[in-house]
Amino acid sequence: MKRHRTLSSSDSSDESPSTSFTSGSMYRSKSKIQNEHKKSSEIFRKDLISAMKISDSHHVNPDSYYLFTDTWKEEWEKGVQVPDSLDTVPQPSLRIVAEKVKEVLFTRPRKYIRHSNSETTEPGYINITELAASLCRYDLDDMDIYWLQGLNEDLAEMGCGPVDENLMEKTIEVLERHCHENMNHAIKTEEGLGIEYDEDVICDVCRSPESEEGNDMVFCDKCNVCVHQACYGILKVPEGSWLCRSCVLGIQPQCLLCPKKGGAMKTTKTGTKWAHVSCALWIPEVSIGCPERMEPITKISHIPPSRWALVCNLCKLKTGACIQCSVKSCITAFHVTCAFEHSLEMKTILDEEDEVKFRSYCVKHSQNREKPGEAEYPLHRATEQSQAKSEKIGLRAQKLRELEEEFYTLVSVEDVATELGLPTLMVDFIYNYWTLKRKSNFNKPLLPPKEDEENGLVQPRETSINTRMRMFMHLRQDLERVRNLCYMIGRREKMKLSHNKIQEEIFSLQVQLLNQEMAADCPMTMSSIKIECILPGNCQLGESPIWEEASNSLLFVDIPAKKVCRWDSLSQQVQQVTVDAPVSSVAFRQSGGYVATIGTKFCALNWEDQSAIVLATVDKDKKNNRFNDGKVDPAGRYFAGTMAEETAPAVLERHQGSLYSLFPDHHVEKYFDQVDISNGLDWSLDHKIFYYIDSLSYSVDAFDYDLPTGKISNRRSVYKLEKEEQIPDGMCIDAEGKLWVACYNGGRVIRLDPETGKKLQTVKLPVDKTTSCCFGGKDYSEMYVTCARDGIDPEGLLRQPEGGGIFKITGLGVKGIPPYPYAG
C-alpha cells in the first residue's frame, strides 16, 4: 500500500530549489476539477498566539531574547489556521502498488545463531544509513502515474508484464544518477569547461586570483561566479557540483547597494533582499552577521541618507549606496562593483592593531598612484581585459548550456538495463519518457544529486585546525578591542576628572567674589538672564501661552494651523488638537477641560475625544472676522476680542473688531467696537484695573474695572510704544504688579510700570516676531514666549532659523501668578 499526497506550498524549502513536477492535476477526473474551487472555509485563531506573546509595553533586555529572521514568522503572527468545517476536508487516497511476497521467518532458537563478525548487534538495532541508502529518492507524481497506466496497457497488448511504481521510480533514479555522473565527468575532462582552463579567474569578492590550502576557489556550475571559501562562507568544498545562494533558489536578484545583478550575493536578515558580499564589505556602515558563513548582511538601515543620495561617477546612476574616494580632498562617488569593473585601485590594509581598513580611489587618483613604468598604458586596457574575460566566461557558459541541452546523450539505455536487470525495451520506454519530462523541466534534474544533500548538512567542526586558528584570531581581535576600549574609558575618566576640578576652581572663585561683595556691603548683581528655544520653528503664528500646573505643561495655539498644542516639560513631547477654524486663544475650565475661541465662537474643548462644543457666537454679520487674543478674569469671565482677517501680517481692514465677554451662564456681553487688532489683556493684582491692547494704536490702555459686574470704564493710556519697539501684542502681569508686553516685529519683551508709565526692563530675543508671553514653571519663575513664522522671507529665516519657536526665559528675578479658570 502506498499513500499518495499532493505537494503543498509548505513542502518547498528556502534553501534548495523545488524540482517537483506538479502538473498532474490536468489528468484528474472532471468531478474533481469541478470541486477544485470549493475550498473549505478557514478561520484564524489568534488567542493561541496572544497567550505566548509579551505585551508591547513590557520592557525586554536585548540580551534576553532572540530575533526571529525566518520568513514564516510573518505568517505565524497572523494566527493559527484551523479548519472550520471538518466535513469538507478531503480524505486520503490509497492504492495498491505491488503485492509483497510474504517472507518466511527464521524459526531456529537464538542460541544456534552465530555472527561471523566480531561486532555485536543489539536486538532491534536498525542501521539508518544503510536503510536510507536502499530507499528510492524519487517519488512519482500525477503525470508519472497517468503515463505508467498507459504504458502498462500498451505492454499488456504486446504480451509483456506490467511495470509497477517502485520499478519506475528506481529506473528514473538510476537515469538521473548516470546523467549526473557522466555530466560531471564531461565538465572535468572536456576542454573549456573546467575552471583550470581560465588563467585570469579571480574571486568575485576580494578580486584576488590566488588561493591557498583550506581556502580554495569554488566555481558555481550555473552562473560561473568564482569565489574563495572564506570570502563566500563555504565551510567545506563540495565533491560534486556547487551552486551559489541565488542559483540554489533559481533567481537573479537585484543588489540593494548597486545597480548590478548576478555575482557573489547573500541575503539580508529578512531573507527577501539581496546584496553583493563585496558591497557589504566596502560600505562602512554595513556589516555581516556571521563572518564564518558570510551571512546575513546586516545594518543596511544604518546607511545615512547622504550616501543613498550619491550618484555614481562611472555608471551615472543614482541607485544603491556609493562609496567615495579615500583622498580627503576628493568627493568622487562610485559603486563598489563599478569600481571593480573599471579596474580602479581598491586596497585592503592591515594596520598595527590588526584591523582591516579599506582604501578606494577614483579614476583620477588611481592613475596618479600607478608606477612610473605603467603610466604609458592607457586606461581602456583594463576595460579590454574585462571584456576578454567576460567573453571567456560567456563561452564556458554556452558550452555548459549545450551540454545540459544534450543531457540524454550522456545516458546509455543498455547500461541502465544491465544494472537493473530489466529488458532493454522496458527501460527504453522509461528513458524516452524521462527525456521528455526533463526537457519540459527546462533540462533541469528531476531530483537533486546526493552530494548536494550531504553538503547542505555540513556543520562547522570546531575540531579542525583551520576553525581553531580562526577562532583564536577572532579572540585576539576581541581582546585587542577590549584593551582599546579600556584605554579610551580610562582616558575619558581622566578628562572628566580634570574638567570637574576646573569647574570646582571656577565655583570657588565665584563664591569668593560674592563673599567679597557681601563683606564690602555692595548690592548683589542681578542673576544673568538665559534664553532657551524649547520648540524651534514649531508655529506659523503662535499665540495665547498658558501654564497648566497640574501636568507641568504649556498650552498655546497656532492660529493659521487651527491647532491647540500642549508641550510636556517633563517628556519634552507635544500633543495637539486640530479644530475646523482658526483658534486664537485657550483657557482652563473650572468644571474640567478647556475653553477656546475658534473662528467667531466661544467653544468648550474636550482634549480626550478632541471635540469642540459651541457655547456662543459673535459678529454674525461680519463673515471676515475672527477672534484674536483672550483671557479669563478673576471672576471667571472669558474676555476675548475680534478683528478682521489679515491679508498680510498686521495688514487688514481696520475698525472691524469688538471686545466681548462670555459670562459663566454662557451669555455674551459686548463692551465696545471700532477695534483694529484686539490683543493683550490682564488685570491688576487688586482686580480694580483692566489692562488692554489694541495693537494698531501702539498703546497699552487701562480701564477701571468692577469685578462683581464685569463693567469697565474710564479708558486711558498708560504707555505709548517707541518706534524700535514696533507693535504691542500679547501681555501678562507678574507678582509685583508690573506688565510684560511682547513686541511684534520688535523681537523683544518689555516690562512696564503701569502706575508711572515707565519702561523698567527689555529682554531681546533672537527672533523678530514675538507674539505673546506668560509665566510658568514650578514656581512661576520662568517666562514662556510665543513667536510667529509667517511673514518672514527666506533670507530672514536664514538669519533667524528659530522663528516660530517657543522660548523659555529664566533668571528674570520675578515670578508670575497662576491663570484664572472659566467658571462656566
Side-chain angles (χ1 to χ4, degrees):
M1 302 288 283
K2 181 175 181 179
R3 184 175 65 179
H4 181 68
R5 66 183 180 91
T6 305
L7 291 177
S8 63
S9 60
S10 61
D11 296 328
S12 61
S13 173
D14 292 337
E15 299 296 331
S16 60
S18 176
T19 56
S20 301
F21 194 89
T22 57
S23 60
S25 59
M26 67 179 71
Y27 302 104
R28 297 172 184 173
S29 62
K30 292 183 179 180
S31 60
K32 290 185 177 181
I33 296 176
Q34 292 174 356
N35 296 329
E36 185 75 12
H37 65 281
K38 294 183 179 179
K39 295 180 62 178
S40 59
S41 57
E42 297 168 346
I43 59 173
F44 288 89
R45 294 187 58 187
K46 292 190 175 182
D47 57 324
L48 304 176
I49 301 302
S50 301
M52 297 186 290
K53 293 180 66 176
I54 302 176
S55 62
D56 295 337
S57 61
H58 184 75
H59 176 70
V60 182
N61 191 343
D63 297 332
S64 62
Y65 66 87
Y66 293 97
L67 180 65
F68 283 107
T69 58
D70 300 280
T71 55
W72 55 265
K73 180 175 180 289
E74 299 177 0
E75 297 294 330
W76 175 75
E77 282 192 331
K78 293 179 181 178
V80 180
Q81 184 175 353
V82 296
D84 186 25
S85 178
L86 295 177
D87 299 334
T88 59
V89 177
Q91 297 297 326
S93 60
L94 302 176
R95 66 180 185 279
I96 299 175
V97 176
E99 292 291 344
K100 186 176 181 181
V101 180
K102 186 176 180 180
E103 299 179 356
V104 179
L105 298 178
F106 188 72
T107 58
R108 294 290 182 182
R110 184 177 177 183
K111 63 181 181 180
Y112 295 116
I113 301 176
R114 294 290 182 268
H115 296 281
S116 60
N117 56 352
S118 58
E119 182 178 347
T120 58
T121 303
E122 295 293 333
Y125 171 79
I126 299 175
N127 192 332
I128 299 298
T129 305
E130 296 179 359
L131 184 61
S134 63
L135 292 176
C136 183
R137 300 172 59 244
Y138 182 79
D139 287 331
L140 300 182
D141 56 19
D142 292 343
M143 178 187 286
D144 299 336
I145 296 171
Y146 184 82
W147 181 85
L148 183 60
Q149 292 174 358
L151 176 63
N152 287 331
E153 292 176 0
D154 294 341
L155 290 176
E157 293 179 358
M158 297 167 60
C160 299
V163 178
D164 58 39
E165 293 184 11
N166 293 332
L167 185 59
M168 183 172 176
E169 289 176 350
K170 188 65 176 176
T171 306
I172 292 180
E173 182 185 24
V174 173
L175 290 171
E176 284 287 336
R177 178 164 53 80
H178 282 209
C179 180
H180 175 69
E181 293 174 353
N182 294 335
M183 185 174 292
N184 286 340
H185 179 72
I187 291 174
K188 294 178 181 179
T189 57
E190 188 173 343
E191 183 176 359
L193 289 178
I195 63 172
E196 62 273 6
Y197 294 101
D198 193 351
E199 299 176 354
D200 299 327
V201 66
I202 60 174
C203 175
D204 191 72
V205 178
C206 67
R207 317 302 291 183
S208 173
E210 300 177 356
S211 61
E212 57 188 6
E213 185 178 354
N215 190 23
D216 296 327
M217 301 183 76
V218 185
F219 212 100
C220 177
D221 290 308
K222 184 174 182 181
C223 66
N224 305 306
V225 66
C226 184
V227 292
H228 285 112
Q229 284 183 254
C231 293
Y232 200 69
I234 305 173
L235 302 177
K236 181 180 178 182
V237 178
E239 297 177 0
S241 60
W242 176 80
L243 299 177
C244 63
R245 275 283 187 264
S246 56
C247 291
V248 166
L249 299 177
I251 59 176
Q252 192 176 6
Q254 171 71 46
C255 178
L256 273 176
L257 306 175
C258 73
K260 306 294 182 183
K261 286 187 176 182
M265 304 179 72
K266 287 295 182 76
T267 60
T268 59
K269 276 188 174 182
T270 60
T272 58
K273 298 180 180 179
W274 296 73
H276 289 103
V277 179
S278 55
C279 294
L281 292 174
W282 280 89
I283 296 177
E285 294 84 6
V286 183
S287 180
I288 296 178
C290 178
E292 287 189 354
R293 294 182 177 271
M294 295 300 288
E295 61 182 353
I297 295 174
T298 59
K299 298 183 180 180
I300 298 289
S301 59
H302 291 196
I303 300 177
S306 57
R307 189 179 295 280
W308 291 110
L310 294 175
V311 178
C312 178
N313 190 51
L314 301 176
C315 66
K316 309 300 181 183
L317 294 176
K318 186 182 176 182
T319 304
C322 295
I323 59 176
Q324 291 178 290
C325 182
S326 296
V327 177
K328 293 184 178 180
S329 60
C330 182
I331 59 172
T332 303
F334 44 84
H335 294 113
V336 176
T337 52
C338 292
F340 287 145
E341 184 179 346
H342 289 77
S343 300
L344 300 188
E345 186 175 1
M346 309 282 281
K347 288 186 176 181
T348 53
I349 302 172
L350 192 66
D351 60 6
E352 297 178 354
E353 298 180 356
D354 293 338
E355 291 188 3
V356 179
K357 294 185 177 180
F358 296 88
R359 295 289 183 267
S360 56
Y361 301 96
C362 62
V363 176
K364 176 181 176 182
H365 294 99
S366 294
Q367 291 175 350
N368 294 339
R369 291 176 175 269
E370 288 178 351
K371 297 179 181 179
E374 299 175 352
E376 62 270 12
Y377 289 99
L379 182 63
H380 62 80
R381 179 73 177 270
T383 305
E384 294 177 357
Q385 292 178 356
S386 177
Q387 291 178 353
K389 180 184 174 184
S390 300
E391 291 176 359
K392 185 177 294 186
I393 294 176
L395 183 60
R396 180 178 185 273
Q398 182 179 358
K399 289 185 177 180
L400 284 174
R401 196 179 303 111
E402 293 175 354
L403 186 63
E404 289 180 355
E405 291 176 354
E406 299 176 355
F407 67 93
Y408 52 88
T409 61
L410 302 174
V411 179
S412 172
V413 176
E414 290 78 10
D415 295 342
V416 175
T418 303
E419 179 177 345
L420 295 174
L422 297 175
T424 306
L425 178 63
M426 187 180 298
V427 175
D428 186 62
F429 277 124
I430 300 176
Y431 167 79
N432 291 328
Y433 171 74
W434 167 75
T435 302
L436 292 175
K437 185 173 182 180
R438 185 157 170 168
K439 282 185 177 181
S440 66
N441 197 31
F442 303 102
N443 301 325
K444 299 300 178 185
L446 300 183
L447 72 162
K450 244 179 206 180
E451 290 82 359
D452 285 353
E453 294 181 355
E454 294 173 358
N455 294 330
L457 298 175
V458 173
Q459 299 294 333
R461 298 178 180 271
E462 294 296 333
T463 56
S464 66
I465 186 65
N466 294 327
T467 305
R468 291 197 174 198
M469 291 300 294
R470 282 196 299 269
M471 182 182 67
F472 288 133
M473 182 184 68
H474 293 316
L475 180 60
R476 182 177 181 274
Q477 291 176 353
D478 293 340
L479 291 175
E480 190 68 20
R481 292 191 185 98
V482 172
R483 186 184 69 83
N484 292 337
L485 182 61
C486 293
Y487 168 75
M488 290 187 291
I489 291 175
R491 187 177 178 183
R492 183 195 67 187
E493 294 300 321
K494 289 180 181 178
M495 293 178 65
K496 287 174 62 177
L497 180 61
S498 176
H499 178 73
N500 291 337
K501 287 183 178 179
I502 294 174
Q503 292 289 339
E504 184 180 357
E505 293 177 2
I506 293 174
F507 178 74
S508 299
L509 292 174
Q510 290 176 343
V511 171
Q512 185 178 355
L513 289 174
L514 291 174
N515 291 333
Q516 291 176 0
E517 288 184 358
M518 293 177 65
D521 198 20
C522 295
M524 294 291 290
T525 58
M526 183 180 294
S527 59
S528 59
I529 295 175
K530 181 180 178 182
I531 301 174
E532 175 187 2
C533 183
I534 57 175
L535 285 175
N538 188 59
C539 299
Q540 300 179 41
L541 177 55
E543 271 283 2
S544 184
I546 181 173
W547 181 259
E548 187 174 18
E549 188 176 358
S551 60
N552 289 317
S553 302
L554 178 73
L555 274 81
F556 58 95
V557 300
D558 190 353
I559 298 177
K562 306 175 184 178
K563 294 178 181 178
V564 180
C565 305
R566 183 168 66 187
W567 172 75
D568 191 336
S569 63
L570 301 179
S571 65
Q572 307 293 315
Q573 299 296 319
V574 177
Q575 299 175 338
Q576 60 187 23
V577 174
T578 303
V579 295
D580 58 355
V583 54
S584 56
S585 68
V586 64
F588 303 129
R589 192 178 185 186
Q590 191 172 357
S591 59
Y594 308 96
V595 286
T597 52
I598 302 174
T600 57
K601 301 173 183 177
F602 288 100
C603 298
L605 184 65
N606 190 325
W607 193 276
E608 301 300 328
D609 59 8
Q610 300 194 357
S611 63
I613 301 174
V614 178
L615 303 179
T617 305
V618 301
D619 287 356
K620 297 180 180 179
D621 57 335
K622 297 179 179 180
K623 301 301 181 181
N624 196 38
N625 275 17
R626 69 166 175 84
F627 271 118
N628 199 33
D629 205 355
K631 191 171 290 186
V632 179
D633 76 343
R637 307 179 188 92
Y638 193 7
F639 277 68
T642 60
M643 58 178 282
E645 279 286 356
E646 298 170 296
T647 56
V651 178
L652 73 167
E653 185 179 0
R654 303 188 62 176
H655 308 305
Q656 299 298 309
S658 304
L659 179 65
Y660 296 94
S661 174
L662 177 69
F663 280 64
D665 59 356
H666 297 177
H667 88 270
V668 177
E669 183 171 337
K670 180 178 179 180
Y671 294 99
F672 52 83
D673 53 13
Q674 299 296 311
V675 176
D676 294 325
I677 302 178
S678 181
N679 240 315
L681 315 92
D682 219 324
W683 290 261
S684 61
L685 299 181
D686 59 0
H687 310 157
K688 293 182 179 181
I689 299 176
F690 168 59
Y691 300 105
Y692 176 75
I693 292 176
D694 185 354
S695 293
L696 295 188
S697 67
Y698 297 91
S699 173
V700 179
D701 296 339
F703 294 82
D704 292 337
Y705 188 69
D706 184 21
L707 184 63
T709 62
K711 300 294 184 181
I712 60 176
S713 60
N714 189 22
R715 183 172 185 172
R716 58 199 178 272
S717 176
V718 297
Y719 182 81
K720 282 285 186 180
L721 270 74
E722 300 173 0
K723 183 177 180 180
E724 67 271 15
E725 293 169 348
Q726 295 292 326
I727 305 173
D729 204 326
M731 176 173 56
C732 67
I733 194 168
D734 61 26
E736 297 177 5
K738 305 300 186 289
L739 298 177
W740 291 82
V741 180
C743 300
Y744 187 83
N745 284 339
R748 66 192 68 191
V749 179
I750 58 176
R751 189 187 189 207
L752 308 176
D753 188 344
E755 296 180 1
T756 62
K758 292 184 179 181
K759 179 172 62 177
L760 303 178
Q761 188 178 354
T762 299
V763 179
K764 293 187 177 181
L765 284 85
V767 293
D768 292 336
K769 298 184 181 298
T770 51
T771 56
S772 190
C773 57
C774 77
F775 283 93
K778 184 177 181 180
D779 53 356
Y780 292 90
S781 61
E782 302 169 349
M783 174 173 282
Y784 292 87
V785 182
T786 56
C787 302
R789 193 178 186 89
D790 284 355
I792 305 178
D793 55 16
E795 294 182 1
L797 288 176
L798 293 176
R799 181 172 51 84
Q800 42 183 332
E802 295 173 336
I806 308 296
F807 289 85
K808 180 175 71 173
I809 304 175
T810 55
L812 292 175
V814 294
K815 298 180 180 181
I817 60 175
Y820 304 109
Y822 172 62

